[in-house]
Amino acid sequence: MSTDRATADRATAAEASDAAAREAELLRRLRAFEGRPAATGGRGKDPVNAPMIRHWCEAMGDTNPAYTGPDAIAPPTMLQAWTMGGLSGHTGRTSAYDELLALLDGAGCTSVVATDCEQEYLRPLRPGDEVTFDAVIESVSPRKTTKLGTGHFVTTRMDVRANGEPAGTHRFRILKYAPAAHRPAPPKPAGTAGPQRPRPVVNRDNQGFWDGVRDHRLLIQRCTACATLRFPWLPGCNACSSPGWDTVEASGAGTVFSYVVMHHPPFPAFDPPYAVALVELAEGVRMISNITGVPYDKVRIGLPVRLEFLRVDDTLELPVFRAEAG
């Protein structure tokens, strides 16, 4: 081996060793935040209340009778909703969480994405309950490499109380990361097929729906016990819990209930910007789909639409909705 090559190898090894030492030191500093409080003595801006429960249930399409009437409880998944500070924030928040994020920013992890949450329910919440909480920085992961980039997962745990009694636990996890460099895809040779559209997950609970799509029929589940319609397909009724069901065929008429325009991030087989809508069918249930027949910037809430079936490729056909001429 030449002297120059040996010198270069030693330099490379030294750089790798220095990088590992810096990474170890950063992780040590990050993990020093584990166990530090993120919020102390936090208090919900409002008691648990019926109007907010109603708004939540309407948005989710949840008609469970347990959430209405004089003995109503709040949907358990609203646990975090009662702790949110809104635009004005909370006075109980400590500086530790902001210091942790600032340290990650300084390490180049300037972007953030929420990844998941976990909840445990200890008692139901009822209108009138006063919600208080404390939060702690539970864990910081070693550096992880994801498709978005490299960074650290940060998990906080919030302990929620109702009238002083433990009511539940909410764990919330984010990824603070340094964005991966975008590498444009090389041009495809002429005649090469583009990326394949993602395949829907078909299982025993929704096989009937996709069988209907194959036959150009949009089928909605109907509970045979209480006649409640439901979409998407579920193994049991979300109103009365009965496992029995049959189907009704949608007329195909609907309106845009809500929508978003996707600009970023780009996904293979999709060409942003494009509109994704929550369509309310004439039968009263809602489903997510694409809107065709108008540019993305012409989609509006209340826009009348009509069902059609889009042949994506040789093996995939999807229900979509075409804007009706006004």
Side-chain angles (χ1 to χ4, degrees), residues 104 109 141-146 149-153 175-178:
L104 286 164
C109 299
S141 77
R143 184 176 290 270
K144 303 290 186 180
T145 299
T146 73
T150 62
H152 298 265
F153 290 93
L175 173 66
K176 277 284 282 180
Y177 66 98

Side-chain angles (χ1 to χ4, degrees), residues 50-212:
M52 197 160 172
I53 293 173
R54 175 173 56 80
H55 291 316
W56 176 281
C57 290
E58 287 180 357
M60 297 297 178
D62 194 336
T63 58
N64 191 316
Y67 307 144
T68 60
D71 298 320
I73 63 172
T77 49
M78 288 187 75
L79 183 69
Q80 185 194 22
W82 309 111
T83 69
M84 291 181 171
L87 295 177
S88 58
H90 278 298
T91 57
R93 180 167 170 164
T94 71
S95 63
Y97 195 71
D98 291 335
E99 292 171 8
L100 171 59
L101 297 189
L103 179 57
L104 286 164
D105 285 340
C109 299
T110 54
S111 295
V112 63
V113 63
T115 62
D116 61 284
C117 70
E118 302 171 11
Q119 293 185 336
E120 301 171 46
Y121 311 118
L122 303 178
R123 57 151 281 189
L125 295 175
R126 295 181 170 83
D129 283 346
E130 296 283 350
V131 171
T132 56
F133 58 91
D134 297 302
V136 64
I137 300 169
E138 190 169 64
S139 66
V140 184
S141 77
R143 184 176 290 270
K144 303 290 186 180
T145 299
T146 73
K147 193 170 184 178
L148 291 174
T150 62
H152 298 265
F153 290 93
V154 177
T155 304
T156 54
R157 187 192 75 244
M158 179 181 291
D159 297 313
V160 181
R161 298 176 296 278
N163 303 330
E165 299 178 1
T169 300
H170 175 80
R171 284 180 172 84
F172 189 70
R173 189 171 295 111
I174 65 169
L175 173 66
K176 277 284 282 180
Y177 66 98
H182 176 66
R183 297 179 181 178
K188 294 182 173 59
T192 301
Q196 189 181 62
R197 189 87 169 250
R199 307 287 100 173
V201 176
V202 181
N203 55 39
R204 65 182 182 180
D205 291 329
N206 65 11
Q207 180 69 58
F209 171 77
W210 290 106
D211 289 344

